[in-house]
Amino acid sequence: MLQLAFIRNNKEEVKQRLTVKNFAELSIVDDLLSFDEERKRLQQQFDSIQARVNSTSKQIGQLMAKGQKDDAENKKQEVASLKSSLQPISDRLSIVEKQLEDALVKLPNLPSDKVPPGKTPADNIVVRAGGVEPQLSANALPHWELIKKYDIVDFETGAKITGSGFPLYKGKGAKLQRALIQYFLDFNIGEGYTEYLPPFMVNEATAYGTGQLPDKEGQMYYMQADNFYMIPTSEVPLTNIYRDEILKEEDLPIRMTAYSPCFRREAGSFGKDVRGLNRVHQFDKVEIVQLVHPERSYEVLEEMVNHVEKLLNTLTLPYRILKLCGGDMSFASALTYDFEVFSAAQQKWLEVSSVSNFESFQTNRMKIRFKDGNGKMQLVHSLNGSALALPRIVACLLENNQTENGIKIPLALQRYFGAESI
RNA sequence: GGAGAGAUGGCAGAGCGGUCUAAUGCGGCGGUCUUGAAAACCGUUGACCCAAAAGGUCCGGGGGUUCGAAUCCCUCUCUCUCCGCCA
């Protein structure tokens, strides 16, 4: 959520930057500021009347103590009439506060000035690429054929147990998942991230904190009986660890990593993109999250991009890094880099990681702050990235590494997988 | 799931209708003393709204009673103890 004071002081800039993000309902900004004006006015009225109520009530106490019952009664009348004039103000105040809050949570984060203009994924900018594209034979198979050939992922039985998009990993397929998770976690820990294993369901306040609510409500699985949401990514519980906390400046940066399954309803997505492991409702991911000093967040973003790139390089898959244009960015992000790997049999780039700086958008909701050297309260900046999401890595790895003698496992992974090939 | 107890400032913990502007201790910060440090002593020390002052709000969340609520009532959440169930 944007900081109200910033919107107040930079109205035109806010509108202009929202346009970069393809956000059209600019009238919300004007509405919001008029709610804010009214709120301030009502609050002042309320406070001054409340001050009289407080002091008069105090006098009543003193009069009672002295036994001056009649005078006390008069004062009681006075307070009663003050309070009745307070009621409509406080009613109106809570309405206006609600309207202000509703407007505020509708505004996406402002894109940083480094964000390229553009409306669709076609406008994203390729920052760099790496790895080597394999030369596959003409009869190379897409991963959804390979998983059947080697009997390592069973979508049909997954659908029988739960529904479509819930893969059942089997044998070497299951072990490959475990190996990747373990490898990614160890890699992240080696770079100074602290490992967590968070709850996979979260409450409403947590889902709100990272911006899933109210924006993406329909994308999460929801458990009505307990009012819990299945996490769409471990970013949600991880970032919320420090919700409502005031940190010490020397605690920063906080670097966290976690494995979790991720649950996404993917409502509204359809078509050929969803074949095989390209898009599923439950998948495994290892996430990295950082809470940092606001002056350092863009530096840290680059550091995290380099971290993910290094990890990807060890898997020897062909990849490219995209800087997302305004129109393709998520609601909460100020700047995002996407990582894609090239799935050679599908001849398609698949997103495997998204690394973003949220600046103070999430931490303003969560009130994660620190006291700076001058004793001033400041919001920390939050960042996160996948390191990495598994299914598309697996898809790419299966397709790109297929040989007549099976599927080659990248060297870095062999120690975890316990074999050189499938 | 049942019974009971509880939730107060960074932490511990008192307060149980008006003097709460929340005691006290610990911790933090500053100072005195010291070559320096420790100890001792002195001072200081929360967040939010408001441009700021004044003022207001915050004693787990929400609601109520009252002229007045940290304090009484209702409700929710969480924690602890005991019982039950359980991988």
Side-chain angles (χ1 to χ4, degrees):
Chain A
M1 162 167 90
L2 298 175
Q3 289 171 264
L4 186 54
F6 183 84
I7 303 175
R8 221 183 265 149
N9 300 327
N10 305 276
K11 180 174 157 184
E12 291 312 316
E13 185 195 337
V14 167
K15 286 185 175 180
Q16 186 271 320
R17 287 168 73 185
L18 284 173
T19 326
V20 174
K21 232 175 171 182
N22 247 358
F23 185 81
E25 298 168 79
L26 295 179
S27 60
I28 292 180
V29 177
D30 295 307
D31 293 347
L32 185 147
L33 290 174
S34 74
F35 295 142
D36 184 44
E37 282 304 317
E38 188 177 358
R39 190 196 108 255
K40 281 199 283 194
R41 209 182 63 238
L42 290 166
Q43 187 71 57
Q44 276 165 8
Q45 280 179 31
F46 184 91
D47 285 356
S48 66
I49 297 173
Q50 185 66 49
R52 287 172 63 192
V53 169
N54 287 346
S55 68
T56 310
S57 291
K58 209 158 261 179
Q59 290 169 25
I60 293 171
Q62 289 161 359
L63 291 170
M64 297 289 266
K66 287 188 227 158
Q68 295 171 279
K69 287 244 162 115
D70 290 347
D71 291 345
E73 277 309 315
N74 288 337
K75 293 285 184 191
K76 279 192 192 183
Q77 301 264 324
E78 198 182 321
V79 172
S81 86
L82 282 173
K83 288 197 82 172
S84 64
S85 69
L86 217 46
Q87 193 58 45
I89 298 174
S90 86
D91 289 349
R92 180 67 194 156
L93 188 58
S94 47
I95 291 169
V96 174
E97 279 175 343
K98 180 79 168 64
Q99 287 175 319
L100 178 62
E101 177 72 14
D102 287 350
L104 208 47
V105 298
K106 272 188 200 147
L107 292 182
N109 199 2
L110 302 178
S112 108
D113 54 15
K114 302 171 183 72
V115 169
K119 300 212 180 300
T120 70
D123 299 317
N124 295 338
I125 290 172
V126 178
V127 179
R128 53 183 185 271
V132 184
E133 276 185 42
Q135 296 302 311
L136 296 183
S137 62
N139 59 356
L141 298 172
H143 72 271
W144 51 86
E145 301 289 346
L146 292 165
I147 59 173
K148 282 185 184 157
K149 180 174 169 187
Y150 293 101
D151 193 22
I152 52 177
V153 186
D154 180 349
F155 277 99
E156 287 73 18
T157 307
K160 171 179 152 188
I161 298 167
T162 305
S164 117
F166 288 88
L168 174 69
Y169 297 89
K170 181 181 174 189
K172 297 266 175 61
K175 188 163 185 183
L176 180 59
Q177 294 294 113
R178 184 154 56 86
L180 285 164
I181 292 163
Q182 181 101 333
Y183 173 55
F184 293 165
L185 280 172
D186 282 351
F187 186 88
N188 296 339
I189 293 163
E191 300 280 323
Y193 289 86
T194 301
E195 181 182 358
Y196 287 86
L197 185 61
F200 299 157
M201 297 181 207
V202 294
N203 60 31
E204 214 177 319
T206 297
Y208 174 81
T210 30
Q212 271 66 34
L213 292 179
D215 184 53
K216 299 193 187 89
E217 174 143 36
Q219 292 298 332
M220 287 188 290
Y221 289 96
Y222 174 60
M223 248 103 1
Q224 198 166 23
D226 297 284
N227 197 23
F228 292 154
Y229 295 85
M230 301 296 291
I231 56 171
T233 159
S234 52
E235 162 205 342
V236 177
L238 280 184
T239 315
N240 272 278
I241 290 171
Y242 291 96
R243 171 155 48 90
D244 293 322
E245 294 204 11
I246 297 169
L247 301 165
K248 295 198 178 74
E249 191 165 6
E250 61 264 30
D251 293 337
L252 303 175
I254 291 170
R255 316 168 102 215
M256 301 174 277
T257 185
Y259 153 73
S260 85
C262 302
F263 304 91
R264 299 187 183 180
R265 295 186 63 227
E266 301 290 3
S269 64
F270 57 89
K272 58 182 173 9
D273 277 0
V274 306
R275 249 188 121 180
L277 290 166
N278 289 357
R279 189 179 293 279
V280 286
H281 290 304
Q282 179 183 323
F283 63 92
D284 296 299
K285 181 158 65 68
V286 175
E287 185 80 359
I288 50 176
V289 173
Q290 291 210 36
L291 298 175
V292 306
H293 194 288
E295 283 168 13
R296 288 208 58 225
S297 65
Y298 281 94
E299 193 184 321
V300 171
L301 180 65
E302 296 305 318
E303 170 203 309
M304 288 170 74
V305 167
N306 292 338
H307 174 83
V308 173
E309 185 175 15
K310 191 171 156 195
L311 174 56
L312 213 40
N313 266 316
T314 67
L315 295 175
T316 65
L317 298 173
Y319 67 88
R320 65 181 188 185
I321 305 174
L322 304 170
K323 189 186 266 187
L324 296 193
C325 73
D328 201 28
M329 285 169 65
S330 73
F331 185 77
S333 171
L335 181 62
T336 297
Y337 291 95
D338 269 9
F339 282 72
E340 296 180 337
V341 292
F342 191 70
S343 209
Q346 298 182 70
Q347 287 287 303
K348 201 189 246 170
W349 289 100
L350 302 176
E351 182 193 332
V352 291
S353 177
S354 189
V355 184
S356 303
N357 185 0
F358 301 94
E359 297 189 2
S360 61
F361 192 80
Q362 295 182 322
T363 55
N364 187 32
R365 284 196 182 193
M366 283 184 279
K367 298 285 172 274
I368 307 181
R369 295 168 293 173
F370 73 101
K371 243 181 203 163
D372 66 20
N374 303 319
K376 281 259 185 210
M377 212 55 98
Q378 283 196 54
L379 292 166
V380 306
H381 281 190
S382 68
L383 304 98
N384 71 49
S386 341
L388 291 156
L390 270 69
R392 294 172 188 161
I393 288 285
V394 169
C396 182
L397 197 149
L398 294 175
E399 293 183 12
N400 294 29
N401 293 5
Q402 58 184 303
T403 70
E404 285 175 10
N405 306 317
I407 290 155
K408 287 181 298 180
I409 299 296
L411 189 62
L413 211 53
Q414 288 176 9
R415 187 160 74 84
Y416 291 91
F417 186 67
E420 292 175 13
S421 65
I422 295 177

